[in-house]
Amino acid sequence: MISPELVDGLDGSSEHIQRYGSHHTDSIVTADQKTAQKFLNEVDSAIVLHNASTQFADGGEFGFGAEIGIATGRMHARGPVGVEQLTTFKYRIRGTGQIRP
């Protein structure tokens, strides 16, 4: 899903993502390291990228093996739940313009 919108600065983009985003994967393209760091820290998504394609949001790309599903909720475990299933992650990825072929 893509939700394009012309917004006013980083705060506007963060508000747009919070309201319309899936909270799965979001990316920023900027040369400003301070802006990128704020985006990576504040956007509430499982995977946030700086100057890298959202196509990298794949279990195989993360070294997890074959992807068998995705979850956009913070607590996605069903059935018997142990400590391991109660763990969630946020990945911060920095790139230099990489894309997947």
Side-chain angles (χ1 to χ4, degrees), residues 47-93:
I47 305 167
V48 287
L49 302 104
H50 170 215
N51 290 350
S53 171
T54 57
Q55 292 175 313
F56 288 105
D58 177 82
E61 292 293 325
F62 279 76
F64 299 158
E67 186 170 289
I68 58 172
I70 63 169
T72 58
R74 288 182 187 87
M75 302 308 296
H76 55 273
R78 294 186 68 183
V81 177
V83 173
E84 192 171 318
Q85 289 80 21
L86 294 175
T87 303
T88 63
F89 300 92
K90 177 175 181 175
Y91 299 91
R92 294 182 180 115
I93 299 166

Side-chain angles (χ1 to χ4, degrees), residues 7-24:
V7 296
D8 186 23
L10 182 60
D11 290 335
S13 68
S14 295
E15 290 171 14
H16 179 76
I17 290 167
Q18 178 64 29
R19 182 169 182 181
Y20 298 106
S22 69
H23 300 284
H24 187 275

